[in-house]
Amino acid sequence: MTTTTSAGGSGAAGPLAARFTRAGQRLRQADRAHPWVLDTAVAALVFLMFCLPDLLHHGGAGRGDGDSRPRFQFAFTHLPLAAVLALQAGLVLPLLWRRRRPMATFVAIAAVFVLQWSLYAALRADVALFVALYSLALHGRLGRLPWAAAVMTACLVLVAVRVSPAVSVWDALFFLLSTATAALAVGLMVRTRRAQLAGLRERAARLETERDQRIRLATATERARVAREMHDIVGHNLSVIITLADAGAYATDTAPERGKEVLRLIGDTGRTALGELRRVLGVLREASDGARQAPELSPQPGLADIEALCDGVRTAGLEIVYRTVGEVDALDRGMQLTVYRIVQEALTNTLKHAGAGTRVSLSVAVGDDRLVIRIRDNGQAKGPGPWNEEGHGLVGMRERAALYGGTVSAGPAADGGWAVEAALDLAPRGGAR
């Protein structure tokens, strides 16, 4: 039974706390929209709780009825109603500016407080001085608190002296200073709490902004990666298909069997390109119900696939001599993919700009700390050189090489034709994938 009651109490406390939280949020929003409302409400509450009783019982403080204390009969002065109203207004009305001008409010109330006790008068509205001290600790400059504390102490010493006929000075000072310390501590505590909440909100907003930036950067990076893959796949295979189609058109009349072979090669190249496109796009495709479809996966190409790449380009009319130096099989998959894509892009540009019948020398040399790729051809560019067009080709090669701290250079060879050289750093092996 005890467990059930405890659980029920906990369950009831949750919605109750949530309601209080929502009510507090609505009050803060209303206060930000209409700040004068809360200040007026505080002044009105002080008037109703502390000023109105003095007005209702005005005139009874100085009468010596049976239960009055004789020592208070000469300790306090019975002021006229107009004077009481004036002093109460001087104590309460400055509270309307307690948040906008906390120091001025405190000084004004302290001045009226000193005037009142100098006249040997006691009013319940003196609680406004403690409210002003709380507001100064909450909204004012912290550097002014020592001065306010000194003024507050002087005011309370005056009160302790005035009530000494009824209460010991030290007892009165202890009570009054304890009350002032409590008001000051509560104000500082609320101020600290608000600063902490503001810091948490700012940090949450900053983290959200950083998260959005990371998402955008990741999206841009992924788009660039997909764009490079699409360019490599589509550009290379379309160049091979176009070259084969041109050769097939010439061979149709003179060598029909050669034309059929060309058409078969075109079909094989197209199917290979379509499979690679499906693999790339399948990663991005999502089902209508939000679940990601399983793409048709296959290993990324590596150095072992360069020979097959050369065979496909040879069918389009290029003469390629391919050789490797060093332990190429020891390279990680990321490095092998980078080498494959650079070679693929270079051969595609040779096929596109130099044309069939061009002789290409391709070498991949692996050293102790560097990998060097050299592609040289003896063809003459048909129209603008391949590297005068700052498209995805050279940019993509440079970006891939930069992942391994490498560089790519391209330009006319000394003995004619075109040369491409890429140097990759093997020191961060496996660090970029």
Side-chain angles (χ1 to χ4, degrees):
M1 294 298 293
T2 303
T3 304
T4 304
T5 303
S6 176
S10 300
L16 182 62
R19 284 196 293 269
F20 276 118
T21 301
R22 288 193 295 269
Q25 292 176 351
R26 287 195 292 268
L27 285 176
R28 285 191 293 270
Q29 293 174 357
D31 181 50
R32 285 193 293 268
H34 307 285
W36 281 95
V37 174
L38 180 59
D39 295 333
T40 304
V42 171
L45 183 64
V46 172
F47 174 79
L48 293 176
M49 293 183 63
F50 301 100
C51 297
L52 192 59
D54 282 338
L55 296 177
L56 295 177
H57 296 86
H58 180 263
R63 292 194 298 268
D65 44 354
D67 58 350
S68 61
R69 286 165 289 187
R71 285 183 292 182
F72 279 175
Q73 293 179 1
F74 64 87
F76 300 122
T77 302
H78 181 67
L79 297 176
L81 179 60
V84 172
L85 287 173
L87 291 174
Q88 288 180 346
L91 291 170
V92 175
L93 289 181
L95 293 178
L96 296 174
W97 290 271
R98 67 184 185 89
R99 292 190 292 179
R100 284 171 289 279
R101 298 288 187 270
M103 190 62 186
T105 298
F106 176 78
V107 171
I109 294 177
V112 177
F113 184 89
V114 171
L115 174 62
Q116 169 209 322
W117 283 96
S118 299
L119 296 175
Y120 290 87
L123 297 175
R124 292 181 176 89
D126 291 338
V127 73
L129 184 63
F130 297 98
V131 177
L133 181 63
Y134 162 82
S135 301
L136 179 61
L138 178 58
H139 304 289
R141 297 180 184 176
L142 295 178
R144 295 178 175 178
L145 284 182
W147 297 98
V151 173
M152 189 73 177
T153 302
C155 293
L156 297 183
V157 168
L158 176 61
V159 175
V161 172
R162 287 291 185 261
V163 300
S164 59
V167 183
S168 169
V169 172
W170 299 111
D171 292 341
L173 274 179
F174 175 78
F175 173 77
L176 294 173
L177 290 177
S178 297
T179 306
T181 302
L184 186 64
V186 171
L188 292 176
M189 181 186 67
V190 175
R191 183 187 189 121
T192 303
R193 178 61 176 169
R194 289 184 178 179
Q196 290 176 345
L197 292 177
L200 290 176
R201 286 192 292 267
E202 181 181 358
R203 183 171 181 270
R206 185 171 62 252
L207 290 176
E208 185 176 356
T209 301
E210 292 176 356
R211 181 201 63 190
D212 294 339
Q213 290 176 347
R214 286 195 298 270
I215 292 175
R216 287 194 292 269
L217 288 175
T219 302
T221 303
E222 183 65 13
R223 287 177 177 174
R225 186 190 68 81
V226 173
R228 287 196 301 267
E229 293 290 332
M230 295 286 289
H231 176 270
D232 293 339
I233 295 171
V234 176
H236 170 74
N237 289 287
L238 282 182
S239 297
V240 173
I241 290 174
I242 290 172
T243 304
L244 289 173
D246 291 340
Y250 287 110
T252 300
D253 297 331
T254 59
E257 293 300 325
R258 177 61 178 167
K260 292 180 180 180
E261 178 67 17
V262 168
L263 291 177
R264 186 185 64 79
L265 293 174
I266 290 176
D268 293 340
T269 305
R271 279 187 290 272
T272 301
L274 183 60
E276 294 188 15
L277 285 176
R278 284 176 176 173
R279 176 180 56 80
V280 173
L281 298 179
V283 178
L284 306 178
R285 187 182 301 117
E286 291 184 358
S288 58
D289 60 355
R292 188 179 295 274
Q293 291 181 344
E296 297 179 3
L297 300 178
S298 61
Q300 289 277 39
L303 289 178
D305 301 296
I306 292 182
E307 188 61 45
L309 175 66
C310 294
D311 291 339
V313 177
R314 288 189 185 102
T315 60
L318 292 183
E319 299 179 12
I320 302 178
V321 177
Y322 170 52
R323 64 188 181 89
T324 60
V325 179
E327 299 180 1
V328 294
D329 295 334
L331 299 175
D332 63 80
R333 296 298 301 175
M335 177 74 75
Q336 292 193 33
L337 175 62
T338 298
V339 174
Y340 180 90
R341 292 305 187 194
I342 291 176
V343 171
Q344 184 185 50
E345 180 62 32
L347 294 179
T348 299
N349 279 282
T350 300
L351 184 62
K352 184 189 303 181
H353 295 279
T358 302
R359 189 175 186 276
V360 180
S361 174
L362 167 62
S363 66
V364 178
V366 179
D368 294 335
D369 57 353
R370 285 170 63 84
L371 182 148
V372 179
I373 308 168
R374 293 186 178 91
I375 305 102
R376 298 176 183 272
D377 65 66
N378 62 352
Q380 299 296 324
K382 298 179 293 184
W387 311 108
N388 292 333
E389 305 172 3
E390 284 291 335
H392 287 287
L394 182 58
V395 174
M397 294 170 67
R398 286 173 175 168
E399 289 179 351
R400 291 184 183 277
L403 293 176
Y404 289 90
T407 58
V408 175
S409 60
D415 54 353
W418 200 263
V420 178
E421 182 172 316
L424 307 182
D425 188 5
L426 296 180
R429 183 175 300 180
R433 289 184 180 270

